[in-house]
Amino acid sequence: MKTSSRYSNLGVKDVLAALSQIGLPLYLAKADIRQRYRRSILGPWWITISTGVMIACIGVIFGSIFKSPMQEFLPFLSAGLIIWGFISSTVMDATNVFIGAEAIIKQLPIPVFSHILRMVGRNFIVFLHNLLIFPIVCLCVQKGINWNIFFFLPGLIILTLNLLWMSLLLSIVCTRFRDMTQIIGSLLQIAFYITPIIWMPSLLPARTSVMLLDPNPIYHLLAIVREPLIGIPPSLTNWLVSISLLLIGSLLSLLLFNKYRARISYWL
């Protein structure tokens, strides 16, 4: 009984300790980016340039295929690809975050959740770099913004918090079952094509749209950030699904972390 009570709140204590020392993982996140582009002239701006080139190429090709007006399609595409890049890179990095930090976890008394904060922080910084592409695209196609832009910040906060619990959950599962990394990668590829990122929802028949989009949580998380950027208010369903996902997912991941926090170092 004493051992059980000792470890019952281990995960919660770890998360609180990591949040109280949040400056450390954020500093390490910036150091990761500097290290990755050490001695490079443009540094992390290479990511932004490559993303911009990809948006331009896909925009011209798919805009012609779908016969979509560039003033509407190009901002939609650029916002979608930038946000999707943040989601997909965070999810994939989460599958190896504890494995990559094996030496630190075994040798230093740093909260385990700090490694999640470090990884999400690193991808968030890259996302902010890529986000600078969006106003350039809007200027090129002469598309303005409206008051719906104020929904962007709360949407981004909800998305980031969702990615935190997803990363914690996936990192635990993938540390225990290493094959899950490949499965997650395959699922992300499927999610990319069934989520309106390179195609607009208006292209789907109404019935197909309801069947394909409403059950898709990634679509709702994407929408609460993308729609304000392109001047559309996110729907009530988008908000409800995203917030419900945050509450239920956070509880589930925290329960799992409480149970298996002490075993993570033995799985590495």
Side-chain angles (χ1 to χ4, degrees), residues 6-242:
R6 179 183 176 184
Y7 291 106
S8 60
N9 292 318
L10 193 59
V12 175
K13 292 177 181 177
D14 188 282
V15 170
L16 293 176
L19 292 175
S20 68
Q21 306 169 21
I22 196 169
L24 174 62
L26 293 182
Y27 173 80
L28 292 174
K30 290 185 285 187
D32 287 341
I33 294 176
R34 286 196 296 266
Q35 178 64 25
R36 180 178 176 181
Y37 293 97
R38 189 162 57 97
R39 297 186 181 181
S40 171
I41 297 176
L42 295 179
W45 294 107
W46 278 116
I47 305 174
T48 307
I49 292 172
S50 61
T51 304
V53 171
M54 179 176 65
I55 288 171
C57 294
I58 294 177
V60 171
I61 295 171
F62 281 84
S64 301
I65 293 173
F66 296 138
K67 296 181 173 57
S68 301
M70 281 297 169
Q71 189 178 28
E72 300 297 327
F73 181 67
L74 210 54
F76 175 89
L77 174 70
S78 59
L81 284 175
I82 291 167
I83 299 165
W84 170 255
F86 178 39
I87 295 172
S88 60
S89 60
T90 301
V91 169
M92 281 309 301
D93 286 354
T95 62
N96 289 295
V97 65
F98 291 157
I99 299 169
E102 177 181 357
I104 298 176
I105 291 174
K106 289 183 175 180
Q107 296 177 25
L108 297 177
I110 297 175
V112 173
F113 190 66
S114 292
H115 301 291
I116 301 293
L117 292 173
R118 175 183 181 178
M119 181 273 296
V120 175
R122 180 175 66 241
N123 284 295
F124 187 78
I125 293 171
V126 172
F127 165 74
L128 293 180
H129 277 84
N130 289 339
L131 191 61
L132 295 176
I133 298 171
F134 184 75
I136 297 174
V137 170
C138 289
L139 286 174
C140 291
V141 298
Q142 298 181 345
K143 183 177 178 62
I145 60 174
N146 56 36
W147 292 104
N148 291 311
I149 193 68
F150 289 105
F151 289 115
F152 170 73
L153 184 57
L156 181 59
I157 291 172
I158 293 173
L159 170 62
T160 305
L161 292 176
N162 269 293
L163 287 176
L164 279 171
W165 76 254
M166 289 180 192
S167 297
L168 179 59
L169 182 66
L170 289 173
S171 62
I172 296 171
V173 173
C174 292
T175 301
R176 179 64 182 88
F177 304 102
R178 302 298 173 91
D179 290 338
M180 286 299 297
T181 299
Q182 306 302 323
I183 296 173
I184 297 300
S186 299
L187 291 175
L188 277 175
Q189 291 180 355
I190 297 171
F192 177 77
Y193 290 109
I194 66 173
T195 303
I197 299 171
I198 60 175
W199 52 270
M200 302 182 76
S202 57
L203 297 173
L204 294 178
R207 184 176 178 181
T208 306
S209 179
V210 170
M211 293 175 60
L212 187 63
L213 300 183
D214 285 357
N216 186 346
I218 295 180
Y219 163 68
H220 297 288
L221 291 173
L222 190 74
I224 61 172
V225 184
R226 179 179 59 194
E227 308 302 81
L229 289 175
I230 60 177
I232 303 172
S235 69
L236 180 61
T237 303
N238 295 148
W239 290 114
L240 290 176
V241 171
S242 300

